[in-house]
Amino acid sequence: MNKNFLTLGLATVLYASCFAQVKPLVANKDAIRFSKAINPDNAYKHLSVLASDAYEGRETGTKGAWMAADYIRDYFKSLGLKAPVNGSYFQNIDLVNYSVSESMLTINGQPKVAYKDFLIASNAVGLNGFTFSTDDIVFAGYGVTKDGYNDYEGLNVDGKVVLVFLSGDPTVKSGEKQTGRQLLMAKARKTSYLAQAKAKAVIFIDPSLDNITEEQKAAYTKGSNLMKTQDNIDRMKKQNPFTTISISTATANDILKTAGTSVEAVQKKIAETSKPASQTINVAISASAMKKETPVRCENVLGFLEGSDPVLKKEVVVLTGHYDHIGITPEVEGPDKINNGADDDGSGTTGVLLMAKAFVDAKKAGKGPKRSILFMTVVGEEKGLWGSEWYSLHPVFPVENTIANLNTDMIGRTGEEYLGKPDSANYIYSVGSNMLSSDLGKLSEQVNATYTKMKLDYKYDDPKDPERIYYRSDHYNFAKLGIPIIFYYDGMLQQDYHRPGDEVSKINFPLLAKRAQLTYYTAWELANRAKRPAVDMDGKGNPK
C-alpha cells in the first residue's frame, strides 16, 4: 500500500457489517465448485516466488519488478487468458529516470570528487540544470532561527551561496539526537527559509558523506523515477528547484580554513558561547550539474477473459492488485535489507492470480462468466499509484463499459486491532463499497452472508480516518472515474509495514485464500447478474 496520504475530503457514513440481517443469495454451485482453485497451497506456490529474495523487493523500474511482471505474464499465458494490449500482456508505462550528470564542484580552483566529497541530488536540479560561481559565501552555522537564537541575525543572504550544518541544533539539549524524520524536516525548514530569502544556493555540511559505502553510493547515483505524463512534464517545467549541495566534513574544512577555522572549532565555539558564529568567507566556489533522462522499463500486466453473453461481454469487471514494493533499503540496520513485500502486496497479487485460475477453470467447463473480466496487476503503487493512474489515463477497455473494480491490497495477515481477538482469522476491512453504488454495497453483504461469512469491517469508510486509507491504493483511480469499487485490506499498518520483516513466513495462507474467495464470489455475481451496479452515490457515500 502506498505510504502517502492524499488530502481530499470524505463525507460518508459508517456501515456496520450485518450479513446475518441481510437476505442471502441462492448459493451458486458452480461458483463454489470453481472456488476450490483459490486455496492455501496454490497461494503459497505463487507468493513464495513473488516475495522471495531473488525478486529483491520488486521496486518499480528495477530487475525485481521486471521478474515479477514476467512471472505474472507467463502465468496468464499458461492459463490461456487473452493478451489485451495489442496482442501483449504488458501495458507499458512511460517512465523515465532523472539522474544527475556532469556534476562539478571546485573550491579555490581545486575540483572535488562527486559522491565522495560532495553530492548533488536529482531533485535539486531543474530540467535545464544549474551553474553558479561566487567569490564569497555566507556561513550561517546551523541555520537555526528559534527560541531567541538566530544564525542569520545581521546577515543578508539575498543572491548568496549559504553554508550551514545539516544536523545539529544549538537550542536543543546536549545529548539529544535528531531522528531521521527530524533531520529531514530540519533540512526542509532550512531550505525553505533560504529559498524565501532569495539565496542563490545552500551547501549542507553532511557528516554522512564522510565514509560513503558502495551501497550508499549506488543509492545516491540511481536518480529518481517519474511517470512521464504531460501533467508531470508541465509541472517540472514550472518548477525551478532551489539548488542544494551536500558536502563532507573534509570538504567543509577546505572552505572554513580560508577563514582560519574548522568544523570542530566552529561547533565548539557555538556550544561554549551559545551564540552564532556566522560570517562571510572569501572563497572561490563553482558548481554545476545537468539532469539526464533515461527511459525505464515499467508495465502493468493484464490478462483478459472474454464473457460468454453476446451482449453483456462488452462490459468488464476489473480485478486488481499491485505487484510492486519498495525494493532494497541499504540503510536498514541488520543483515536483511530486502523488503520482500509478502503482504504488501504480494498477497493481493497472489489473490488476482488465484481468481484468474478459478474463472478460467469455469470457462473451460462451459460455466464462464457472462461479462468479461480483466485481471490486472499494476506497478508503481508505492510510488504514487502510478500504474492504476496510467490505466485511468489510457484505458484498454472503455471506462463506460467498466462496471466495477475489486482491489486486493494486503490480504494475508492480521492487523493490529485484531491480534488476539476471536475473529482474528475471519475478518477483512471492506473499504469504499458504498461510496459510489449502494447496489455494490448491498451485494457485498449478500455475497459474504452466502459464502464466506466474514466480519466486514468498515472502519476506513469513516470520514475522520486519520490514515486516509480510502485514497491510498489503486481502486481510487477507478473511483475517480465514477466506477464502483471495493478495496479489501487487512489493516496491517505497524508490524513489518514497509520493512524487511514482511516475509512469506508470516502470511496466514488460509486467511489469504478466504479473503480472495470473498473477492472472487463478489466478482462472480457482478459478472453474471442481469444488471450492473447502479452509480447512485456521489463518490463520498451520499445519495445523489
Side-chain angles (χ1 to χ4, degrees):
M1 181 191 292
N2 182 256
K3 214 169 190 175
N4 298 321
F5 298 176
L6 298 178
T7 56
L8 297 177
L10 176 62
T12 187
V13 295
L14 293 176
Y15 294 83
S17 177
C18 53
F19 65 79
Q21 302 169 20
V22 173
K23 183 179 179 180
L25 304 168
V26 176
N28 187 294
K29 293 181 180 179
D30 291 326
I32 294 172
R33 171 187 170 192
F34 298 110
S35 73
K36 293 185 170 79
I38 306 172
N39 62 62
D41 289 340
N42 286 342
Y44 179 81
K45 288 176 184 177
H46 291 304
L47 191 55
S48 62
V49 174
L50 292 169
S52 65
D53 283 354
Y55 281 56
E56 298 181 347
R58 308 186 307 278
E59 183 176 8
T60 297
T62 68
K63 180 183 75 171
W66 304 334
M67 292 171 66
D70 289 345
Y71 177 89
I72 296 164
R73 175 202 59 197
D74 293 345
Y75 185 69
F76 283 168
K77 185 176 181 180
S78 73
L79 291 179
L81 292 173
K82 291 185 178 181
V85 190
N86 299 318
S88 174
Y89 292 96
F90 287 164
Q91 182 187 37
N92 295 321
I93 293 172
D94 195 355
L95 188 73
V96 294
N97 176 269
Y98 289 102
S99 58
V100 172
S101 65
E102 304 176 28
S103 61
M104 179 271 291
L105 175 69
T106 66
I107 300 173
N108 288 325
Q110 297 298 311
K112 296 299 178 180
V113 180
Y115 304 108
K116 176 179 178 291
D117 301 321
F118 74 97
L119 166 70
I120 300 174
S122 61
N123 59 6
V125 182
L127 284 175
N128 297 318
F130 76 83
T131 182
F132 70 77
S133 294
T134 184
D135 292 325
D136 59 69
I137 67 168
V138 173
F139 172 62
Y142 292 94
V144 170
T145 58
K146 68 175 186 178
D147 299 335
Y149 182 96
N150 185 359
D151 277 315
Y152 295 107
E153 186 174 0
L155 297 179
N156 179 14
V157 299
D158 189 350
K160 297 291 187 177
V161 177
V162 181
L163 175 68
V164 296
F165 293 114
L166 174 62
S167 59
D169 185 335
T171 68
V172 175
K173 291 181 180 179
S174 177
E176 290 186 16
K177 290 186 176 181
Q178 289 178 294
T179 65
R181 179 174 176 79
Q182 288 173 327
L183 281 172
L184 287 174
M185 292 176 66
K187 182 178 182 180
R189 284 194 299 270
K190 295 173 186 181
T191 302
S192 177
Y193 177 90
L194 290 169
Q196 291 177 23
K198 299 181 180 179
K200 181 182 293 184
V202 59
I203 299 176
F204 286 111
I205 302 171
D206 184 356
S208 71
L209 300 182
D210 293 350
N211 296 290
I212 300 178
T213 66
E214 287 302 313
E215 287 181 331
Q216 289 172 324
K217 182 178 178 181
Y220 285 139
T221 57
K222 74 177 183 178
S224 57
N225 292 334
L226 180 71
M227 188 170 69
K228 197 175 180 183
T229 63
Q230 191 59 50
D231 284 347
N232 284 335
I233 294 171
D234 291 343
R235 186 162 58 249
M236 289 184 69
K237 286 180 178 178
K238 293 177 182 177
Q239 290 174 338
N240 185 22
F242 183 65
T243 299
T244 61
I245 301 172
S246 298
I247 62 173
S248 67
T249 301
T251 306
N253 281 330
D254 282 346
I255 297 173
L256 292 171
K257 72 180 181 182
T258 308
T261 188
S262 66
V263 167
E264 184 179 3
V266 168
Q267 289 177 329
K268 182 179 179 182
K269 181 179 180 180
I270 295 173
E272 290 177 346
T273 66
S274 297
K275 294 180 180 180
S278 305
Q279 59 179 304
T280 297
I281 301 175
N282 295 317
V283 58
I285 294 181
S286 297
S288 64
M290 297 298 293
K291 182 169 277 186
K292 180 181 179 182
E293 179 180 313
T294 308
V296 179
R297 175 186 165 184
C298 182
E299 59 267 311
N300 295 327
V301 191
L302 286 67
F304 181 67
L305 186 71
E306 187 176 40
S308 60
D309 186 279
V311 176
L312 293 180
K313 69 179 182 180
K314 72 176 182 178
E315 297 182 344
V316 182
V317 178
V318 182
L319 305 180
T320 55
H322 72 89
Y323 70 84
D324 67 298
H325 195 50
I326 63 171
I328 299 172
T329 47
E331 69 275 11
V332 171
E333 294 182 5
D336 188 2
K337 310 292 185 182
I338 299 175
N339 298 278
N340 300 86
D343 192 35
D344 185 13
D345 181 34
S347 63
T349 297
T350 294
V352 173
L353 302 187
L354 297 176
M355 289 186 283
K357 167 67 172 168
F359 276 109
V360 167
D361 287 351
K363 184 167 184 176
K364 287 179 179 178
K367 303 294 182 180
K370 294 177 181 179
R371 290 184 176 85
S372 299
I373 300 180
L374 176 64
F375 304 93
M376 180 166 66
T377 58
V378 295
V379 71
E381 192 269 358
E382 302 290 4
K383 303 294 186 181
L385 314 187
W386 284 356
S388 55
E389 181 185 355
W390 188 265
Y391 184 87
S392 74
L393 296 169
H394 308 88
V396 175
F397 299 95
V399 170
E400 60 270 21
N401 291 345
T402 303
I403 72 163
N405 167 237
L406 305 181
N407 181 43
T408 48
D409 186 354
M410 300 174 64
I411 60 170
R413 291 182 64 175
T414 300
E416 287 75 21
E417 289 192 32
Y418 281 87
L419 287 173
K421 291 186 177 181
D423 49 6
S424 63
N426 197 44
Y427 82 95
I428 188 69
Y429 289 103
S430 176
V431 185
S433 61
N434 288 283
M435 296 299 182
L436 284 152
S437 173
S438 61
D439 283 351
L440 183 56
K442 180 180 178 181
L443 176 63
S444 174
E445 290 279 358
Q446 289 177 313
V447 166
N448 185 50
T450 305
Y451 297 104
T452 46
K453 297 180 174 59
M454 304 186 79
K455 177 181 178 180
L456 302 184
D457 192 323
Y458 295 98
K459 169 185 175 179
Y460 294 112
D461 283 347
D462 186 343
K464 297 179 181 179
D465 169 27
E467 302 294 345
R468 316 299 286 171
I469 294 298
Y470 176 65
Y471 303 108
R472 289 174 56 184
S473 190
D474 296 294
H475 62 280
Y476 186 63
N477 281 317
F478 288 88
K480 288 195 297 185
L481 297 174
I483 297 169
I485 64 91
I486 303 177
F487 167 29
Y488 300 98
Y489 167 53
D490 61 22
M492 195 197 75
L493 268 180
Q494 299 299 324
Q495 44 172 334
D496 300 324
Y497 178 67
H498 282 200
R499 297 185 182 96
D502 186 4
E503 300 269 13
V504 173
S505 60
K506 298 179 181 178
I507 295 296
N508 183 330
F509 284 97
L511 185 54
L512 187 163
K514 189 170 187 180
R515 289 163 170 168
Q517 284 184 351
L518 171 62
T519 313
Y520 157 81
Y521 285 124
T522 306
W524 183 284
E525 291 296 330
L526 286 168
N528 287 293
R529 55 178 30 206
K531 294 183 179 181
R532 61 192 288 173
V535 180
D536 57 356
M537 310 294 275
D538 66 355
K540 299 177 182 179
N542 303 310
K544 284 187 175 181

